Amino acid sequence: MSIWQQRRQQEQSERPQDHRTPWQRDKARILHSAAFRRLQAKTQIMGVGQNDFYRTRLTHSLEAAQIGTALVAQLQLNAPTTELKELLPADSLMEALCLAHDIGHPPFGHGGEYALHHCMQQAGGFEGNGQTLRIVGKLEPYTAEGGMNLSRRTLLGLLKYPVLQPVLPKDSVASTNRSSSKPCKAIYREDADLLDWILAPLSTNDREQFQAADTLAAAPFLKSRYKSLDASIMELADDIAYGVHDLEDAVVTGTVQRELWLEEIAKHTSDWQQSTVEFLTQVGEKLFKSQHHIRKDAIGALVNRLITSVQWQQSLPLASEPLIRYNAVLPPEELKILQLLKSFVYRHVILHPSLQQLEFRGQTIVQALFEAFAQEPLRLLPFNTQQRWRDLSAVQLGDRAICDYIAGMTDEYAERMYQRLFGRGSS
């Protein structure tokens, strides 16, 4: 067994004649977990239940998994050596990473994430990717204390940001604005033991390079520089699914119009290659057609161009471990396309007042729930969470138990809990 196939805890259950690979077993554990099922009722961008066409965290994750395996296939085709072909993750591993990458996100999208971080600023912070690692490594009850007990390489692939949350400066003041208290994209300090186990196979030099980060003067205070090969493919699949498919949601529901798309192209592509500008213009002409199959053709063209352009890159050329030496990247022109798509969705969909109003409402719910549970935890929390609160309070981490509980809620469950506690609308 490879060191990257090892699991943190010895497996207790026997599985006679189970010939699956470690990655197939990891994918199964993720797929059958409660944390994964809850994604069906968590907001992606558009509110869950607002329209049956909108993507949820679950459908987004399924689409990311399909794109992830397509990226692996493309990298297989253009791998310069046999060694690099063999380094690529198996499809089941890539699917596992893409299916799991969002399970740490709380209810109400990024608004909920910011609200939870606001509540946790003086207690270690909250961040969706850090919560994902915490769920698969400690919380999901596949084992008593080891979460899903996934393989080391699977856990490495989920580390989009392989650094620990910074200790807040002693003179730092918690932000009073829950929308501006930016979470640091990092692993919680109380999960340092899990991070250490994942990175144990790396040499001291490799680990120092891999965990290099830039220190920032203000929130989020730290920005990591590197990720593993598997994480780079997973993140690229996530970005493509986000940029392209959330654009499709916005077009179909009438949130954005053709004129705005053409205006954006004219405004932001003046120094681009003419062929790329023509490609985006043609895509736009199809994207806003009323015929669904024509629109689908435009979406497919965008996804195809991004996937088929993926390249290998030595992100850490001096690293001795190949899994952190190489990354998957897009060439400059395709990277600009993806950034334009993500920026367009952010500015004209996420920042749209109708969505911001829903986000504000979700943030209000999350913050109110946290404050209520923190005020009377042994009265309001469910019995099993009360016990976790007692256990973690013994080491001054009681707020983390409350945070874990709220982060695991679906949008609807959080709404119902709010109504139960306060008996009124959240606005």
Side-chain angles (χ1 to χ4, degrees):
M1 177 188 292
S2 151
I3 196 168
W4 294 108
Q5 294 178 332
Q6 291 177 354
R7 301 180 188 277
R8 196 176 183 205
Q9 293 189 356
Q10 184 176 353
E11 299 282 75
Q12 301 298 321
S13 301
E14 294 294 332
R15 297 289 189 268
Q17 299 183 16
D18 186 350
H19 301 298
R20 293 175 298 169
T21 67
W23 327 125
Q24 290 171 327
R25 297 176 68 190
D26 287 351
K27 177 187 172 184
R29 293 179 189 189
I30 292 163
L31 197 58
H32 293 286
S33 68
F36 179 73
R37 288 195 300 276
R38 292 189 187 105
L39 295 178
Q40 67 186 308
K42 290 192 178 187
T43 292
Q44 169 65 8
I45 288 184
M46 308 289 195
V48 171
Q50 300 294 313
N51 186 305
D52 61 6
F53 180 85
Y54 294 162
R55 287 166 166 89
T56 64
R57 288 276 179 193
L58 179 66
T59 56
H60 163 74
S61 299
L62 292 170
E63 289 171 336
Q66 184 276 319
I67 293 171
T69 56
L71 287 167
V72 170
Q74 189 65 35
L75 288 166
Q76 183 87 13
L77 285 175
N78 60 26
T81 66
T82 302
E83 289 74 19
L84 288 186
K85 285 184 180 181
E86 294 174 348
L87 182 65
L88 283 167
D91 281 355
S92 52
L93 172 55
M94 183 47 53
E95 288 169 343
L97 297 178
C98 292
L99 293 175
H101 83 280
D102 265 355
I103 62 175
H105 279 278
F108 309 115
H110 285 290
E113 181 180 28
Y114 274 50
L116 262 185
H117 178 65
H118 175 75
C119 296
M120 289 290 292
Q121 282 181 95
Q122 300 302 309
F126 176 84
E127 196 275 325
N129 298 283
Q131 190 69 17
T132 292
L133 184 69
R134 184 167 174 80
I135 289 171
V136 300
K138 292 189 175 181
L139 300 181
E140 184 67 27
Y142 186 89
T143 63
E145 296 179 347
M148 299 183 196
N149 200 27
L150 301 178
S151 305
R152 197 192 308 260
R153 179 166 176 175
T154 302
L155 294 175
L156 179 70
L158 288 172
L159 289 178
K160 291 174 68 173
Y161 315 105
V163 294
L164 291 177
Q165 290 276 354
V167 177
L168 283 178
K170 292 182 179 179
D171 58 349
S172 69
V173 179
S175 171
T176 57
N177 185 345
R178 66 191 177 203
S179 295
S180 64
S181 53
K182 297 180 181 179
C184 177
K185 297 182 182 298
I187 306 305
Y188 306 139
R189 300 194 75 82
E190 55 263 41
D191 296 329
D193 58 331
L194 180 55
L195 181 62
D196 286 341
W197 183 83
I198 297 169
L199 302 183
L202 301 182
S203 68
T204 301
N205 184 58
D206 276 7
R207 179 163 177 172
E208 288 178 355
Q209 291 184 74
F210 187 55
Q211 293 191 285
D214 296 318
T215 302
L216 309 177
F221 299 109
L222 197 71
K223 183 178 181 182
S224 63
R225 298 178 187 173
Y226 303 109
K227 57 183 63 68
S228 69
L229 170 65
D230 299 347
S232 72
I233 302 172
M234 176 266 284
E235 185 173 43
L236 194 50
D238 180 26
D239 285 349
I240 293 172
Y242 161 72
V244 177
H245 294 139
D246 290 338
L247 171 62
E248 182 183 14
D249 279 3
V251 170
V252 172
T253 55
T255 307
V256 296
Q257 291 75 39
R258 172 179 174 275
E259 292 72 22
L260 183 59
W261 173 260
L262 296 176
E263 180 183 317
E264 287 286 304
I265 293 175
K267 183 177 180 181
H268 296 285
T269 64
S270 58
D271 59 343
W272 291 24
Q273 295 178 11
Q274 185 59 33
S275 60
T276 303
V277 178
E278 291 174 357
F279 169 76
L280 290 174
T281 303
Q282 292 168 2
V283 164
E285 292 297 335
K286 292 182 177 181
L287 194 58
F288 291 91
K289 293 288 186 182
S290 58
Q291 297 97 324
H292 189 67
H293 68 281
I294 296 178
R295 185 186 308 118
K296 275 295 181 187
D297 183 55
I299 294 298
L302 275 172
V303 173
N304 178 72
R305 173 149 182 181
L306 295 172
I307 289 175
T308 56
S309 65
V310 68
Q311 298 176 345
W312 291 85
Q313 175 179 286
Q314 289 199 58
S315 297
L316 274 173
L318 299 181
S320 57
E321 171 53 61
L323 281 176
I324 66 169
R325 187 188 314 148
Y326 295 96
N327 272 188
V329 297
L330 293 180
E333 202 70 7
E334 281 69 29
L335 182 59
K336 288 193 294 186
I337 291 176
L338 182 56
Q339 290 172 338
L340 176 64
L341 295 174
K342 291 171 63 180
S343 174
F344 183 85
V345 169
Y346 179 75
R347 286 182 284 110
H348 299 295
V349 181
I350 295 176
L351 293 184
H352 194 283
S354 63
L355 262 71
Q356 285 300 303
Q357 290 159 11
L358 289 174
E359 183 173 291
F360 179 87
R361 183 172 183 274
Q363 289 177 315
T364 300
I365 292 172
V366 167
Q367 186 170 343
L369 290 178
F370 188 96
E371 291 172 353
F373 292 139
Q375 184 176 352
E376 300 194 56
L378 298 180
R379 179 186 181 194
L380 301 178
L381 290 171
F383 286 128
N384 61 336
T385 308
Q386 286 184 27
Q387 187 56 53
R388 289 198 68 250
W389 183 87
R390 289 189 185 94
D391 294 342
L392 289 176
S393 291
V395 287
Q396 288 79 50
L397 293 172
D399 282 353
R400 182 62 68 191
I402 297 171
C403 182
D404 289 340
Y405 177 53
I406 295 175
M409 293 180 177
T410 63
D411 294 20
E412 182 184 1
Y413 185 91
E415 291 255 15
R416 284 191 278 111
M417 180 62 73
Y418 183 92
Q419 291 293 332
R420 187 179 304 159
L421 292 178
F422 299 101
R424 53 184 169 80
S426 59
S427 58

